[in-house]
Amino acid sequence: MACSLTLGSKFSENGCLFTCGDGSFGQLGHGDYNSHCLPEKVSYMNSRHVWQVACGMRHSLAIVNDDLGCQVHGFGSGKRGQLGISVDKVRSINVPQAALGLDDAKIVSIYADGDHSAALSDDGRLYTWGRGFSGASDIHIPQCFNANLSLREAALGWNHALLLTADSEVFVLGSYGNGVLISPDTNIQRRNRSEESEEGVISRIPGLGSSKVLQIAAGAEHSALVTDDGSILTWGWGEHGQLGLGDTVDQSIPQIISFGEEVAAPRFLCEVYCGSGFTYAIRTPVVVDSEIS
Amino acid sequence: MSYDDVEIEDMEWNEKLQAYTYPCPCGDLFQITKEDLRLGEEIARCPSCSLYITVIYNIEDFLGDNNRKKQENIESSKQQPIAVA
């Protein structure tokens, strides 16, 4: 299940897609530009098995996987290329249409946020389309991200993407460096230190030491991750307290969130999720075998 | 620093707010009124944030209403002269 600012999508057990919310850009996929207050079945997808959806600011993506094949469909606003359906500029479409350029890939995950779209293939390659990162030009047809990284997970913000490698390392793609709103001057310095590629600037997240990263999450302008020692770290835009660090300061380096525990606190299994300007975490105490007996 | 440059055609008219709006990353909306646009204002602000965007638009598209208003003002000023500083 995925949610954007204006759209909610869900699917039933047999893979039918339902959407509701703001449809003014066709992002509900009902063949019109109307909004719906109740979930409504996307009839275009009636005979298809939908097994994953992702919602951006004004567009939607869905993976269909059935006898007719496995495809990524896009609908809604396409102005920045985020639907991936045509080399030409598409203002918007209101029925799902298959994205191009993914025929050779077995897509296992799709991502959408802001005007960005991305997909991850079963062999760890990332495809991106939509608004260009780091001021790069928009990508209208999904493009394999040209980096020697085998990826396990991706997370999109409005101006950056986090990439989690199979080796549990995290990289960031995008001009806002570490998901922080920074001035252009700082940006130039940062560019020099980063590996420049056609698709944008990719850099390793600083300050993580040898920690292995288990999970990543991206808000519009902030980021969060979980490390293998059970810590949750956040960085980026902090104006609304979304970093959970007790203040409203922006952070360029990941900071450990304190949950105010006494010493010898139990170990927790942590998960972290970001909304556009907020963050939440789930911590489940790990029961050690010796405690049971 | 402006968060983004947004064309007016990508903004949505919000009847309730009587303003053109565009989503802000905090979850609220950047807003700019027709009156602002007529005056040549190009910054749309978010009421919940320090963030703002630069609106790209053609001022002539918004001066139409203004001209009509001016006309009305002229009409009314004929009847009731107004001192202008």
Side-chain angles (χ1 to χ4, degrees), chain B residues 12-80:
Chain B
E12 291 180 272
W13 175 252
N14 185 310
E15 198 61 41
K16 206 169 143 194
L17 296 170
Q18 285 294 301
Y20 286 95
T21 65
Y22 191 80
C24 172
C26 77
D28 206 337
L29 297 167
F30 293 114
Q31 303 172 17
I32 193 163
T33 64
K34 281 183 182 163
E35 190 53 34
D36 288 337
L37 295 167
R38 270 183 219 119
L39 292 169
E41 176 63 65
E42 53 180 25
I43 299 299
R45 294 180 189 281
C46 170
S48 306
C49 260
S50 64
L51 301 186
Y52 56 89
I53 54 170
T54 305
V55 182
I56 298 164
Y57 70 107
N58 189 351
I59 193 163
E60 278 83 41
D61 297 343
F62 293 90
L63 288 179
D65 293 354
N66 202 26
N67 286 344
R68 268 200 300 282
K69 273 201 175 166
K70 264 187 194 159
Q71 207 67 44
E72 284 162 17
N73 284 343
I74 289 164
E75 292 299 319
S76 62
S77 67
K78 273 178 189 167
Q79 293 156 7
Q80 195 180 2

Side-chain angles (χ1 to χ4, degrees), chain A residues 5 24 58 79 91 131 158-159 176 181-182 184 220-221 237 239-240 276-277, chain B residues 1 3-4 7 9-12 21-27 48-51:
Chain A
L5 288 172
S24 30
R58 291 168 167 175
K79 208 181 168 191
R91 193 167 163 74
R131 185 181 177 142
W158 285 17
N159 284 293
Y176 290 104
L181 295 153
I182 50 173
E221 295 295 340
W237 186 36
E239 183 174 346
H240 297 275
S276 52
Chain B
M1 185 196 170
Y3 177 67
D4 203 355
E7 289 176 30
E9 63 169 28
D10 290 329
M11 298 186 76
E12 291 180 272
T21 65
Y22 191 80
C24 172
C26 77
S48 306
C49 260
S50 64
L51 301 186

